Amino acid sequence: MAGRYRVSYPVSNPGTETQEWYTLREGDESAFFLSHWFPTSAVGEPVQPKAAIVFVHGFADYCQRYAGVFQGFTERGYQVSGFDQFGFGSTWYESPERVSTHGWTTWPEQMADIASMVKLMRARLDKKWGEGVVPIYLLGHSMGGGLVAGFFTRDASSPPGEDVKSLVSGAMLSSPWLDIHYPIPRSIAVPVLRAALYMFPRLHLPLGPLSDDLSRDKQLCEANRQDPLSSTHVHVRCLLGPLAGGPRIVEEEYTRWPKRLPLLICHGTGDKVTQWAMSERLYQNLKKSDRSVRLVSFEGFYHEGFFEPGEDKLKFARAFWDWLDEQVDVHAHGRPLPPSDDRYVT
């Protein structure tokens, strides 16, 4: 069932794809559904990846939706590994406690899960290719983009620890949830949500069907609405972190972004789900703070740039591929990080 509507990318060597179940939370037997895409030679033999990407999906989302996208990464020599977050995707849908676990997670728990995934991939890469040989990059979309941004800007007393952050060589944000287009002002929405969760901690609501505004590919939008793995009928405790935390990253906590860590932000100006303006503001704040950050804005693109119709999805993906190629070269030769820059794609 997962991945039944796959957006295809034109690739000649898609590499190999595997899935597994793995326990990411120490002391918790809950199994997470993991997906991996590996580069191969022309005859199908495994090859050392130029870098490994750990992918963090968005709200009402899951990794297998991106199988066609990630084949474009493997063809260019990159490994991609992702996990369906607790309460989402197959991790939720295949759970024996499906009703009670849908969206039952919080920002601190999600940060810890990402940290566990990073450590797992570092250990596997070191075992197969040598210690520290293959660099790791984090890529987050939408809710996952907000999580990746928060991963490196949280207070030092909160997880993840510096030991885990140091395992990552760079970060990429796709249409990050730093703020969304609210039907009501955020100044009202966040206090109301806090009060509701205080009185009803297991509040579980249908948040409406997935929007027609996810992509300009209407077939994809309809497929999402019909996909049981993309249900938005979730526990709302998972919303408080991004609703309250995203704006804090942009306005205050960006000052904790590590100076050693390059960042790529890609966002469509026509996004009606998350706010492009917040990505632009984060870029400006990081640039003024002498960080290495690139903002690529796509004129008129909707929320899911990887799934835009026709050649547009390739334009979006190429921004990531080009940036990764640059960063891998910088990493391999020990060069200084490039200065910040912003670009428009039409």
Side-chain angles (χ1 to χ4, degrees):
M1 174 170 48
R4 61 183 176 181
Y5 182 80
R6 290 191 177 189
V7 172
S8 61
Y9 276 56
V11 295
S12 57
N13 181 5
T16 60
E17 176 185 336
T18 65
Q19 297 89 38
E20 64 175 307
W21 289 91
Y22 191 89
T23 302
L24 285 177
R25 294 183 175 180
E26 187 175 346
D28 188 331
E29 296 182 356
S30 300
F32 286 70
F33 185 74
L34 275 57
S35 300
H36 309 277
W37 292 265
F38 302 100
T40 62
S41 69
V43 295
E45 295 294 328
V47 297
Q48 179 181 310
K50 294 190 290 186
I53 293 96
V54 172
F55 176 64
V56 186
H57 67 71
F59 177 77
D61 199 8
Y62 58 96
C63 292
Q64 280 291 308
R65 288 186 65 232
Y66 298 82
V69 179
F70 294 147
Q71 288 175 351
F73 281 76
T74 57
E75 184 175 54
R76 287 157 180 82
Y78 295 103
Q79 173 184 323
V80 184
S81 295
F83 63 102
D84 288 3
Q85 297 192 55
F86 191 85
F88 295 97
S90 292
T91 298
W92 154 69
Y93 198 80
E94 302 298 330
S95 168
E97 301 175 343
R98 185 189 301 173
V99 173
S100 63
T101 61
H102 197 188
W104 186 253
T105 192
T106 63
W107 252 29
E109 291 169 332
Q110 290 171 296
M111 299 291 181
D113 293 340
I114 296 169
S116 294
M117 186 68 178
V118 168
K119 289 188 288 186
L120 173 65
M121 299 318 300
R122 182 71 275 161
R124 290 184 176 181
L125 289 164
D126 288 353
K127 182 177 181 180
K128 188 169 183 64
W129 304 110
E131 186 173 349
V133 170
V134 178
I136 292 176
Y137 293 81
L138 272 180
L139 164 59
H141 171 67
S142 192
M143 178 182 74
L147 284 164
V148 170
F151 193 80
F152 297 101
T153 56
R154 289 170 65 78
D155 184 270
S157 63
S158 304
E162 293 300 322
D163 59 328
V164 180
K165 296 177 189 177
S166 68
L167 301 179
V168 180
S169 296
M172 298 169 281
L173 312 181
S174 163
S175 309
W177 182 349
L178 302 169
D179 208 351
I180 60 174
H181 293 277
Y182 287 89
I184 58 176
R186 173 163 43 89
S187 60
I188 298 174
V190 172
V192 167
L193 183 60
R194 288 188 190 278
L197 288 175
Y198 179 78
M199 293 183 289
F200 307 102
R202 295 199 69 91
L203 186 61
H204 191 258
L205 296 174
L207 301 178
L210 285 166
S211 172
D212 273 334
D213 297 326
L214 288 178
S215 166
R216 291 173 294 168
D217 181 342
K218 297 309 176 186
Q219 183 182 358
L220 176 127
C221 293
E222 180 57 30
N224 285 353
R225 282 193 290 273
Q226 300 300 322
D227 190 342
L229 268 67
S230 294
S231 171
T232 60
H233 195 290
V234 297
H235 288 93
V236 297
R237 74 195 296 254
C238 67
L239 302 177
L240 186 57
L243 287 175
R248 283 202 309 268
I249 293 170
V250 175
E251 303 299 342
E252 305 168 21
E253 296 173 356
Y254 71 89
T255 56
R256 299 190 188 122
W257 189 270
K259 287 197 172 183
R260 67 163 186 88
L261 197 76
L263 173 64
L264 171 69
I265 310 171
C266 294
H267 209 147
T269 63
D271 192 335
K272 301 176 184 179
V273 180
T274 60
Q275 294 188 22
W276 168 85
M278 291 294 274
S279 286
E280 201 272 340
R281 190 178 304 176
L282 177 61
Y283 164 76
Q284 293 293 346
N285 286 341
L286 288 171
K287 180 181 178 181
K288 287 185 290 187
S289 301
D290 197 29
R291 267 59 169 186
S292 177
V293 55
R294 174 178 296 167
L295 171 65
V296 186
S297 301
F298 295 82
E299 189 66 38
F301 280 33
Y302 281 18
H303 184 59
E304 296 195 323
F306 285 120
F307 298 145
E308 285 287 72
E311 288 290 315
D312 283 348
K313 60 179 173 288
L314 292 175
K315 293 179 182 178
F316 194 80
R318 283 194 194 101
F320 292 87
W321 300 334
D322 291 347
W323 184 86
L324 280 166
D325 286 345
E326 294 172 23
Q327 295 303 322
V328 166
D329 183 67
V330 166
H331 181 85
H333 296 92
R335 295 172 180 151
L337 293 176
S340 297
D341 69 276
D342 61 306
R343 308 174 180 190
Y344 268 84
V345 176
T346 59

